[in-house]
Amino acid sequence: MDAPVTTPIRVGIAGAGFAAASHLDALRRLENVQIAGLLASSPGRTQAAAERLGVPAAGSLDQLLDADVVHNCTPNDVHASITTAALDAGVHVLSEKPLGFDASEATTLARAAGEAGVVTGVCFNYRHFPLVQQMRSLLDQGGDGPIHLVHGAYLQDWLLRQDDWNWRLESARGGTSRATGDIGSHWIDLAQHVTGDAIASVTARLGTLFDERVQPPEGDRQTFAHGGADGTAVRVDTEDMAVVLFTTRRGVMGSVTISQVSAGWKNHLVLEVDAGESSFVWDQEQPNDLRIGRRDGANRDVVRDPTQLLPAAGRLAHFPAGHQEGWPDALRNLCIDFYGAVGAHRRGEAYEPTFASFEEGARVQATVEAVVRSSASGMWVDVDEIVGEVSA
């Protein structure tokens, strides 16, 4: 049973890495939220992270689940166990992506969430930039004509060197897809959210830059690590890059290039949507500008000015024009949205969220799995077929 509306919402954080620290930063900027505890993979890691981040340490998963909400910021291979425990305990869950280790696991979680009667969401935070919502609102109005092409990229360079290391390189922990599953999933969700259309079929090619990488010693495996002189050469069985062609349910053509080995690109997520009268371009590394292209008439740049944006976008802009907002602010917006839903749940009121549902998170994982299958077979793969398989 949820506590009275005036009682602070008690939050538990599962995980102790970059995602957990980012979630805590966002939560500290919300009202009526209290951090109840943090739980990492071991007592020592839990205590060290709790002291570093200035939050209470949870002694066990049961203690963590005494909270009202759990943020699941753990590695991919333990997402399902944490989320399942929270759902069984009647706790609201905001999960980092991927929702599960594979499409089947994600679908099981989505089904369980529907039966649990709690608020659940997946952390696709790029939805929550003001100008992303501006683009979505403009396209939804239909004044620019029907969409006929969706394209873009998500490029990074943090795994460019052979001795660059991260736990995601271990397929037993990260899953069968790395670049597509890790960052490509964000692009897939963003494209579907902005257009209101779903990717229906894909043909893809995956590539790996290094067959072997240098893994650092066990005690030196941080989020962003390097193998070093004491490292061990290990085989790599997940992709560094991907090129994907797709069609949507409405018959729109599209493409995306995904890479974690593109020098000079730190977090270059760019989404371009072409409609009959206008084209739209949004780049996460320049998030306060939205380019709108016109054939007849001048192109224009829409800036993040809350007084000039449509309502769905304007409410996500917290500072005046010229006061730039970025990635941490989008995560804050996601949390505001999620806790708006939790508050409505407490009051027994309806709520229309913009954050990704577990069902949408499972669909993204089915699309990632379709990419992997297509690369292996050289054929087009239907996403709905995979959804049907894992739902049976």
Side-chain angles (χ1 to χ4, degrees):
M1 176 73 90
D2 281 330
V5 176
T6 55
T7 304
I9 301 171
R10 300 177 67 251
V11 182
I13 306 293
F18 170 78
S22 299
H23 281 237
L24 281 168
D25 176 72
L27 288 168
R28 284 175 170 136
R29 294 190 283 164
L30 269 59
E31 297 179 357
N32 205 39
V33 169
Q34 180 185 78
I35 307 303
L38 176 147
L39 183 69
S41 56
S42 69
R45 185 163 166 76
T46 296
Q47 191 60 43
E51 291 177 1
R52 183 180 75 252
L53 297 170
V55 296
S60 66
L61 180 58
D62 286 341
Q63 184 180 340
L64 191 78
L65 296 179
D66 191 44
D68 302 305
V69 180
V70 164
H71 286 230
N72 191 347
C73 302
T74 57
N76 303 358
D77 58 325
V78 293
H79 273 190
S81 61
I82 300 291
T83 296
T84 299
L87 295 176
D88 288 345
V91 177
H92 309 296
V93 183
L94 180 60
S95 175
E96 269 294 338
K97 56 83 205 159
L99 177 57
F101 191 70
D102 54 28
S104 177
E105 195 171 81
T107 299
T108 299
L109 290 172
R111 187 181 299 117
E115 298 169 354
V118 297
V119 179
T120 55
V122 183
C123 190
F124 286 117
N125 55 301
Y126 295 104
R127 291 182 174 209
H128 301 272
F129 283 88
L131 292 180
V132 165
Q133 289 303 319
Q134 181 77 1
M135 177 164 46
R136 182 175 187 247
S137 295
L138 289 170
L139 288 165
D140 187 57
Q141 289 177 353
D144 293 288
I147 297 168
H148 57 259
L149 184 63
V150 181
H151 48 112
Y154 199 156
L155 310 177
Q156 298 177 333
D157 69 358
W158 64 290
L159 290 173
L160 179 61
R161 307 300 186 196
Q162 192 165 11
D163 66 345
D164 289 329
W165 188 262
N166 178 265
W167 60 263
R168 291 173 178 84
L169 286 157
E170 302 174 55
S171 59
R173 301 185 70 191
T176 57
S177 172
R178 176 167 36 89
T180 311
D182 182 23
I183 60 175
S185 57
H186 274 295
W187 194 95
I188 292 166
D189 176 77
L190 187 65
Q192 295 183 148
H193 178 68
V194 165
T195 63
D197 197 3
I199 293 174
S201 59
V202 303
T203 183
R205 179 71 180 269
L206 306 183
T208 302
L209 185 59
F210 300 110
D211 293 331
E212 289 187 343
R213 284 183 180 267
V214 181
Q215 183 183 64
E218 182 68 34
D220 189 33
R221 297 185 194 174
Q222 304 302 313
T223 301
F224 304 102
H226 298 279
D230 297 327
T232 304
V234 295
R235 295 286 298 176
V236 174
D237 57 2
T238 54
E239 82 278 8
D240 292 307
M241 49 198 163
V243 177
V244 183
L245 299 178
F246 61 85
T247 58
T248 74
R249 284 176 172 167
R250 296 176 187 162
V252 176
M253 294 171 54
S255 67
V256 61
T257 301
I258 302 157
S259 171
Q260 294 178 315
V261 290
S262 294
W265 292 116
K266 305 307 177 184
N267 201 42
H268 181 61
L269 185 160
V270 60
L271 174 65
E272 306 188 33
V273 179
D274 297 338
E277 296 297 325
S278 302
S279 64
F280 298 82
V281 181
W282 182 78
D283 180 353
Q284 193 280 150
E285 291 191 339
Q286 303 292 330
N288 293 279
D289 294 277
L290 171 66
R291 179 191 183 276
I292 301 180
R294 303 281 295 180
R295 173 174 169 170
D296 300 316
N299 297 340
R300 66 189 182 99
D301 288 327
V302 177
V303 299
R304 190 208 52 81
D305 181 347
T307 68
Q308 302 297 317
L309 300 177
L310 294 170
R315 67 170 176 260
L316 302 182
H318 303 285
F319 296 96
H323 297 73
Q324 305 293 52
E325 295 176 85
W327 194 94
D329 302 289
L331 183 56
R332 173 196 181 189
N333 285 334
L334 186 156
C335 289
I336 290 172
D337 193 17
F338 185 82
Y339 282 89
V342 171
H345 186 278
R346 282 185 164 192
R347 298 186 296 272
E349 299 173 355
Y351 187 86
E352 291 293 331
T354 57
F355 58 82
S357 67
F358 271 25
E359 184 177 357
E360 288 171 315
R363 173 85 190 186
V364 169
Q365 276 194 261
T367 307
V368 171
E369 195 158 307
V371 167
V372 174
R373 291 190 190 184
S374 175
S375 182
S377 67
M379 305 290 288
W380 281 86
V381 175
D382 189 289
V383 177
D384 284 327
E385 287 186 5
I386 294 177
V387 172
E389 287 176 17
V390 298
S391 300

